[in-house]
Amino acid sequence: QVQLQQWGAGLLKPSETLSLTCAVYGGSFTGYYWNWIRQPPGKGLEWIGEINHTGNSNHNPSLKSRVTISVDTSKKQFSLNLSSVTAADTAVYYCARTKGTYSASGPNDYWGQGTLVTVSS
Amino acid sequence: DIQMTQSPSSLSASVGDRVTITCRSSQSISRYLNWYQQTPGKAPELLIYGASTLQGGVPSRFSGTGSGTDFTLTINSLQPEDFATYYCQQSYSNPRTFGQGTKLEIK
């Protein structure tokens, strides 16, 4: 059974950098795309970006150049950095797997538990 | 970006009812349409992918149809655990985008 466990700082000040890490347990890491998705309180879901085991990544242009997604295949982990945060970045952040090996077009079948990140001065 | 529009935004129904939620994309996405269920405080759970394929473990009262730009999620014989928020998502092209959600409430 695949499990995703995520962690990171939950309270940030404006202009700081958000950092989250997601570890994958119980399944293969290689061959899949790994995603970050966020959800502001009481609102809908927004895809942030994805990365595969080779480091090939894509991100949502709406976040411009603030997003960095990295991978550590040896640890079966991937990470999200979001720089220069503002209150608008307050959200629950989820990591998730894309279903299907070597495919970036599948659904997100396994999700982390979510991390609430609050940006406040 | 491909815009995803769900309707209705909210829906009241009773246990045993049949409900249908619609999702429309701003351009053709073939059958790259996925449905998720989310309950408060939990991560979304995948219900249906490829417009009509049921994810493993999902009850057969859930079904999906559609292709191109118009899609539907149908829940037959609503159960108490089905009252939740439902999201559609396109995985045809990046950035992946979601509908705004449909909140299904008990009447």
Side-chain angles (χ1 to χ4, degrees):
Chain A
Q1 177 74 345
V2 176
Q3 291 187 338
L4 278 64
Q5 186 170 351
Q6 59 183 101
W7 64 88
L11 181 60
L12 296 173
K13 290 180 167 43
S15 80
E16 292 184 333
T17 296
L18 178 158
S19 293
L20 298 173
T21 297
C22 184
V24 179
Y25 299 100
S28 175
F29 190 80
T30 300
Y32 290 94
Y33 273 87
W34 304 95
N35 300 252
W36 290 100
I37 294 164
R38 70 180 182 178
Q39 185 172 38
K43 297 188 177 180
L45 298 156
E46 180 183 30
W47 181 78
I48 298 169
E50 64 185 3
I51 193 165
N52 70 2
H53 67 285
T54 68
N56 182 38
S57 65
N58 300 290
H59 66 269
N60 195 325
S62 69
L63 295 167
K64 296 186 173 68
S65 57
R66 296 196 295 135
V67 172
T68 302
I69 301 175
S70 58
V71 66
D72 186 337
T73 303
S74 66
K75 294 184 178 179
K76 296 175 66 174
Q77 295 177 1
F78 60 107
S79 298
L80 169 69
N81 277 9
L82 180 66
S83 63
S84 305
V85 297
T86 69
D89 295 310
T90 294
V92 175
Y93 287 74
Y94 295 101
C95 56
R97 189 184 82 166
T98 298
K99 183 182 179 78
T101 50
Y102 300 98
S103 170
S105 301
N108 299 115
D109 59 348
Y110 289 99
W111 295 64
Q113 79 275 20
T115 301
L116 174 61
V117 177
T118 302
V119 180
S120 174
S121 55
Chain B
D1 297 5
I2 298 174
Q3 306 303 314
M4 306 300 293
T5 304
Q6 282 181 241
S7 61
S9 296
S10 63
L11 179 59
S12 293
S14 302
V15 172
D17 284 353
R18 177 181 186 226
V19 299
T20 297
I21 299 169
T22 297
C23 180
R24 176 166 290 174
S25 57
S26 60
Q27 64 186 73
S28 177
I29 58 171
S30 185
R31 293 177 60 81
Y32 291 95
L33 190 283
N34 314 305
W35 290 99
Y36 299 86
Q37 178 194 67
Q38 187 178 34
T39 53
K42 297 288 186 66
E45 293 186 5
L46 177 64
L47 294 175
I48 289 170
Y49 62 96
S52 62
T53 302
L54 220 57
Q55 173 71 345
V58 174
S60 60
R61 62 180 180 273
F62 291 91
S63 64
T65 62
S67 66
T69 60
D70 294 299
F71 303 87
T72 60
L73 170 69
T74 299
I75 312 172
N76 287 301
S77 187
L78 275 171
Q79 299 300 299
E81 59 268 28
D82 299 337
F83 292 93
T85 300
Y86 293 85
Y87 293 94
C88 62
Q89 176 205 43
Q90 65 82 15
S91 52
Y92 178 79
S93 68
N94 285 339
R96 295 172 169 239
T97 46
F98 294 85
Q100 80 278 17
T102 296
K103 187 173 184 179
L104 177 55
E105 298 175 305
I106 299 176
K107 186 182 289 184

